[in-house]
Amino acid sequence: MKKNFLFTFLLVLISTGATAETEFTTRAKSAFLLDYDSGVEIVAKNADVLMPPSSMIKLMTLAVLFDEIKAGNLTLDSKLPVSENADYKNPLWYPASKICLSAGQEITVRDAILGLVVLSGGDASVVVAEKLAGSENAFTSKMTAKARAIGMEQSTFGNASGLPDPNNLMTSRELATLATHIISDYPDIYPMFATKRFEFGDYKSDWCRDWGRTHTVNYNKLLFTMPGADGLKTGHTDSGGYGMVASSVVGGRRLIGVINGFNGRGHDALAAEMKKLLNYGYTTTTHKVFYKPGDTVVEIPVWYGRTGTAKATVEKPFAITLPKPVPVSSIRVLARFNDPAAAPIAVGDKLGEIIAEQDGRVIAIEPLVAAENVKKVRFFGRLVRNISVIIGGK
């Protein structure tokens, strides 16, 4: 079979205005910045060093919970029982972030999610863990399995809350992987991460009612200070310092940032540092999305198919990220595939690849997949096709 090449030449005009700082600097021990569409890293400081994630570990607790919702095993209105382990009188929760729950009550999945996202409720993480695995210790196996399934090979988990434990270790890069997964795989649930305030309405003790009056605001102060910020999670322990996994969308472009081991003064300082990181990405780089899932990149001829061609698309946005400022550049995008493809073809079958080149260098490559099913013609149809090839020479 011969190879077909579809060439598209695109001129990308890059701003030649004032140059931003050439390298991002931060007091945080680790920082990572990712372009969501292209997957290109913009900043990576100690991004692969394992560190205590503090309450950012709750993102994995939530991801496991979201899988249960996606599978139909739970709904947002399902009830979760609260055990003595999650009771507000448990000494673990006296200094820690919590919803302020009482043993014997039940909370909805919706309140558990908001309690984790807004109030960073460690007690809610125990409620989720015990519901899904019987115990928090058993739940850590589910967290590990989920991590490995989405490509997080280094992270380890000692509990579901992020309270200090020697086995609670994650890298900034893998926290960004987790954030990317949450945003892309749970689009109906993800908007809850932008919730600025949560008032839990089912306290069972006077102490919790008093406590709850002053604990309603999201610890993620970036939601209040940066237009376009829409999640995800902060964390803090004395040993690990402050950390944040954040996402923002500016001008239709999403960036994901991670900071850990930051020793600033409180969550306001943490948000300011994250804002600085995200703005660095927006001001020093640009990006271009060429194709989105469902877009027809090329129609590929099909041999023995009930239709003559098969539409090929991409599994995820095909995009590039480029530094600013650069001179006018020519980006060459080509689709490479076998001509013809052999039927039968099923949606999602790999048909080739799409490549972006700059100055002869490959800067992006992704699979081309079938956007539609193409059935194989029956025997008589194949016979007719063969005869036409013999007679017509093609």
Side-chain angles (χ1 to χ4, degrees):
M1 293 183 178
K2 64 182 180 179
K3 294 284 187 179
N4 258 16
F5 297 87
L6 171 70
F7 295 92
T8 303
F9 295 89
L10 293 156
L11 289 180
V12 181
L13 298 178
I14 310 300
S15 169
T16 56
T19 304
E21 56 184 313
T22 57
E23 184 176 356
F24 180 76
T25 58
T26 177
R27 290 181 293 153
K29 293 179 181 178
S30 178
F32 188 70
L33 183 62
L34 180 75
D35 188 306
Y36 175 81
D37 284 324
S38 69
V40 170
E41 65 179 58
I42 300 169
V43 172
K45 175 184 178 182
N46 295 328
D48 298 306
V49 176
L50 286 166
M51 298 175 59
S54 306
S55 284
M56 293 182 289
I57 206 172
K58 293 183 176 90
L59 290 175
M60 183 57 74
T61 302
L62 286 163
V64 176
L65 174 60
F66 294 164
D67 278 345
E68 294 294 316
I69 298 172
K70 193 173 182 179
N73 299 325
L74 293 171
T75 70
L76 292 179
D77 294 320
S78 296
K79 295 296 184 69
L80 308 177
V82 178
S83 73
E84 295 286 348
N85 295 320
D87 189 279
Y88 77 98
K89 293 188 291 292
N90 184 329
L92 280 176
W93 309 124
Y94 178 71
S97 54
K98 54 187 170 290
I99 297 179
C100 205
L101 303 174
S102 299
Q105 76 176 117
E106 291 183 325
I107 64 171
T108 64
V109 169
R110 179 183 288 101
D111 281 350
I113 293 172
L114 290 172
L116 282 159
V117 169
V118 179
L119 304 180
S120 195
D123 49 359
S125 67
V126 172
V127 170
V128 169
E130 292 181 340
K131 173 64 177 181
L132 299 185
S135 71
E136 189 174 10
N137 185 57
F139 185 74
T140 60
S141 296
K142 287 183 174 288
M143 297 171 75
T144 302
K146 177 65 177 179
R148 301 299 179 261
I150 62 174
M152 299 169 61
E153 297 298 329
Q154 295 192 74
S155 297
T156 59
F157 308 96
N159 57 48
S161 66
L163 288 176
D165 185 292
N167 290 317
N168 282 343
L169 294 169
M170 302 177 77
T171 70
S172 289
R173 187 187 303 275
E174 292 196 350
L175 280 164
T177 297
L178 178 54
T180 299
H181 171 73
I182 289 173
I183 294 167
S184 63
D185 279 43
Y186 315 107
D188 295 334
I189 304 175
Y190 179 68
M192 296 176 78
F193 282 90
T195 304
K196 294 180 179 180
R197 288 178 172 82
F198 169 57
E199 295 183 11
F200 183 59
D202 193 24
Y203 292 117
K204 300 300 183 183
S205 74
D206 291 338
W207 190 92
C208 283
R209 288 188 192 93
D210 289 340
W211 182 91
R213 292 189 183 98
T214 57
H215 292 78
T216 62
V217 179
N218 200 317
Y219 288 102
N220 182 357
K221 305 307 180 187
L222 192 71
L223 296 174
F224 301 89
T225 60
M226 183 172 184
D230 61 4
L232 297 160
K233 189 75 188 72
T234 65
H236 173 255
T237 57
D238 291 340
S239 58
Y242 285 91
M244 178 188 286
V245 184
S247 169
S248 66
V249 180
V250 175
R253 180 187 182 192
R254 184 183 295 277
L255 297 182
I256 294 175
V258 182
I259 286 175
N260 202 4
F262 180 68
N263 291 318
R265 293 186 177 181
H267 286 90
D268 289 330
L270 174 65
E273 194 73 1
M274 178 58 73
K275 185 176 181 180
K276 179 178 133 183
L277 174 64
L278 292 167
N279 281 336
Y280 174 85
Y282 288 120
T283 57
T284 64
T285 65
T286 187
H287 88 158
K288 169 73 177 178
V289 178
F290 295 104
Y291 296 101
K292 295 180 180 179
D295 292 346
T296 299
V297 178
V298 63
E299 293 194 22
I300 300 175
V302 177
W303 182 242
Y304 290 143
R306 293 192 181 182
T307 59
T309 61
K311 293 180 180 179
T313 187
V314 288
E315 295 177 304
K316 61 181 183 179
F318 183 70
I320 60 169
T321 300
L322 298 171
K324 294 196 286 189
V326 297
V328 175
S329 299
S330 176
I331 303 298
R332 184 172 68 170
V333 175
L334 57 100
R336 184 164 59 196
F337 52 89
N338 287 329
D339 178 7
I345 297 170
V347 171
D349 283 353
K350 183 177 178 181
L351 300 177
E353 56 193 9
I354 183 169
I355 301 167
E357 292 183 349
Q358 182 184 34
D359 300 327
R361 179 173 58 92
V362 174
I363 60 174
I365 183 168
E366 292 291 343
L368 274 177
V369 298
E372 57 188 357
N373 296 319
V374 179
K375 293 183 178 180
K376 192 173 185 177
V377 295
R378 295 178 180 177
F379 174 78
F380 181 75
R382 295 199 300 273
L383 181 62
V384 171
R385 186 72 53 82
N386 287 338
I387 292 173
S388 68
V389 170
I390 292 171
I391 294 174
K394 62 179 181 178

